[in-house]
Amino acid sequence: MSKFYEIVQYGMGGVGRALFGLVVQHAPEIKERLGINLRYRAIVDSTHALHIDLNSAMNQQYMQYLWARLKPEVGERISEQTGAVQKPSELSILATELDRIRSEDSAAKLVVVDTSGASDSAMTPVLTSALRQGHCAVLANKRPLCGPIEDFRQMASASGLGMARLRYETTAGAALPVVSTLRMLLDSFDQINEISGCFSGTLGYLATELENGRKYSEIVADAKAQGYTEPDPRDDLGGVDVARKALILARSLGMGIELSEVTVEALYPDSLSSLSVPEFMARLPEVDEYYAGLAAKAAEKGETLRYIAIVSGKGLTVGLQSVPKDSQIGRLRGTDNIVVFKTRRYDPNPMVIQGRGAGPEVTASGVLADIISFGR
Ligand SMILES: NC(=O)C1=CN([C@@H]2O[C@H](COP(=O)(O)OP(=O)(O)OC[C@H]3O[C@@H](n4cnc5c(N)ncnc54)[C@H](O)[C@@H]3O)[C@@H](O)[C@H]2O)C=CC1
Ligand SMILES: N[C@@H](CC=O)C(=O)O
């Protein structure tokens, strides 16, 4: 029997557009191979929304027509599409879709997909509300999982037993199977003693390229252009993005920790913290020399810099460390992440997951896998 999942997607940046392209291009094959009908009901960016009527959503030609305009190389905005409306609020977009699906008397489930960079206050009510009404949610956006712990618990409990209708694989390690592995270990009654590693594609890329002698300012600009960084690269460089990932893993383990309890170490000076993003990017050369010096100092000792996170019963720590070049972490290259699970069963040798941890294409593939997992 065919299953119907209908996507309401917030966020049409790098990851959002890559996901839209994947779904539009592969929906017929997904239906044929897996018996899962995926279609778009609405796409939303920071200012506008496009509600897609079902006839159009089922019409592959119309979806291809939209993709031809929205794909990154063309880059049209939602506001430029026929039928787009100015966004009243994130929640009202969902309300419109819930009304529509009720009036259709449909057996389809909505999947609210958050590929935005929106705040937790904007997105948490949307996601929790959809989950409470029996629908599904998939997040690439970490913020809604990093608000007050009570909000996280409400979202989790709204998503059914074992968080059955909530997926957020790409919030830690992009498409690497980190969250699903954590769930698998917990479901099979292992005991996770520690999760550690390098959780940032941007900081991995920065560290490797500093090692190669490139300038800090050029590396950060390049990471932004490639879509590795957060909308504001200071989230990456300041360690907050790593802290969010560690917090999401800690909360998934049942720890009641707040983001404010995690101490981070910033890889840019305080003097650049209150600038706009373009101003920040323009002033990066001011710190080139300092970070070249740090990298050179580590190299003199046969070491390299890595930004390391540890989640354990003692809490969360994240920060810059100098590690031997020929260690497992020292050998990481580019945007690769490494996540090490030390558990009762994986002892003394831990379970290790390693691979690309950032980039729009790879992240979109993880979001699509999350969506499809509801229908399996
Ligand atoms: N780029 C990557 O490698 C990865 C990104 N992520 C997460 O995925 C999300 C998207 O990342 P990117 O696409 O790279 O960022 P991006 O900056 O390219 O896109 C973010 C989009 O969110 C939209 N947006 C902001 N506020 C919104 C709102 N209230 N409602 C609807 N849309 C809104 C913006 O218009 C923008 O187009 C972020 O939360 C990021 O942390 C997660 C894993 C990897
Ligand atoms: N900005 C993040 C993207 C994935 O979460 C990173 O660099 O790791």
Side-chain angles (χ1 to χ4, degrees):
M1 202 179 76
S2 276
K3 297 165 191 160
F4 290 84
Y5 290 91
E6 299 181 349
I7 301 169
V8 179
Q9 181 177 316
Y10 295 77
M12 287 296 281
V15 177
R17 284 174 198 254
L19 175 66
F20 188 80
L22 268 182
V23 173
V24 170
Q25 281 157 7
H26 297 292
E29 208 182 330
I30 293 169
K31 181 177 173 188
E32 196 182 302
R33 278 175 37 192
L34 304 169
I36 298 169
N37 283 275
L38 284 189
R39 57 195 175 209
Y40 269 92
R41 288 194 80 98
I43 47 176
V44 188
D45 66 16
S46 50
T47 60
H48 284 75
L50 179 66
H51 295 281
I52 301 168
D53 71 60
L54 265 197
N55 288 336
S56 305
M58 282 185 287
N59 178 340
Q60 194 59 11
Q61 254 177 339
Y62 171 74
M63 295 309 289
Q64 292 286 355
Y65 162 91
L66 261 187
W67 172 235
R69 277 150 186 76
L70 295 170
K71 61 183 169 190
E73 311 86 277
V74 177
E76 282 190 11
R77 297 183 58 82
I78 292 179
S79 57
E80 295 171 80
Q81 309 313 312
T82 310
V85 293
Q86 220 162 8
K87 190 176 72 182
S89 75
E90 286 75 15
L91 206 49
S92 65
I93 306 287
L94 175 70
T96 302
E97 287 308 329
L98 287 169
D99 285 348
R100 280 176 69 196
I101 201 164
R102 264 184 231 115
S103 72
E104 286 156 14
D105 200 18
S106 159
K109 286 244 185 277
L110 291 187
V111 184
V112 176
V113 172
D114 185 354
T115 47
S116 78
S119 64
D120 62 299
S121 55
M123 289 311 299
T124 304
V126 176
L127 296 156
T128 306
S129 168
L131 289 166
R132 278 206 182 109
Q133 298 181 59
H135 296 286
C136 304
V138 174
L139 294 88
N141 184 5
K142 296 146 207 135
R143 288 168 187 75
L145 300 170
C146 297
I149 183 67
E150 203 37 51
D151 289 358
F152 177 86
R153 289 187 175 133
Q154 280 185 21
M155 198 188 295
S157 99
S159 68
L161 269 185
M163 294 202 231
R165 286 176 284 103
L166 174 62
R167 298 281 186 280
Y168 49 90
E169 185 62 84
T170 58
T171 59
L176 294 177
V178 176
V179 177
S180 51
T181 297
L182 183 154
R183 283 191 179 190
M184 179 276 286
L185 291 168
L186 293 179
D187 289 350
S188 56
F189 304 97
D190 202 343
Q191 178 193 308
I192 300 177
N193 298 323
E194 185 184 285
I195 308 173
S196 63
C198 295
F199 302 169
S200 169
T202 300
L203 296 181
Y205 186 69
L206 175 67
T208 317
E209 294 299 307
L210 281 174
E211 229 177 272
N212 292 339
R214 281 182 73 198
K215 287 182 183 162
Y216 175 99
S217 54
E218 279 176 20
I219 308 167
V220 175
D222 192 11
K224 189 170 186 328
Q226 307 265 2
Y228 305 150
T229 68
E230 296 303 294
D232 183 339
R234 276 167 294 197
D235 277 9
D236 300 285
L237 300 167
V240 180
D241 186 67
V242 173
R244 286 191 184 119
K245 290 171 185 169
L247 184 74
I248 290 169
L249 297 179
R251 287 181 168 183
S252 303
L253 288 173
M255 293 163 73
I257 295 183
E258 299 290 353
L259 189 60
S260 55
E261 294 172 53
V262 189
T263 312
V264 294
E265 185 181 352
L267 302 188
Y268 65 87
D270 253 5
S271 55
L272 304 188
S273 59
S274 51
L275 304 175
S276 67
V277 173
E279 284 166 344
F280 173 74
M281 296 302 291
R283 287 189 48 189
L284 284 178
E286 291 174 20
V287 294
D288 281 350
E289 213 174 292
Y290 176 75
Y291 286 101
L294 269 193
K297 218 158 137 191
E300 276 167 24
K301 296 185 281 176
E303 293 187 344
T304 183
L305 303 172
R306 293 290 182 263
Y307 207 88
I308 295 175
I310 303 174
V311 180
S312 73
K314 293 186 206 137
L316 311 189
T317 62
V318 298
L320 194 65
Q321 292 186 26
S322 183
V323 301
K325 256 189 179 171
D326 60 359
S327 60
Q328 192 176 32
I329 283 186
R331 283 194 300 272
L332 276 185
R333 304 315 295 165
T335 59
D336 278 10
N337 285 188
I338 187 165
V339 183
V340 179
F341 286 92
K342 290 186 183 154
T343 78
R344 185 168 60 80
R345 293 190 184 117
Y346 287 90
D347 176 58
N349 299 339
M351 182 196 279
V352 180
I353 297 170
Q354 183 177 337
R356 186 176 295 175
E361 302 288 336
V362 77
T363 305
S365 75
V367 176
L368 177 60
D370 269 355
I371 297 170
I372 286 174
S373 73
F374 294 126
R376 278 190 175 274

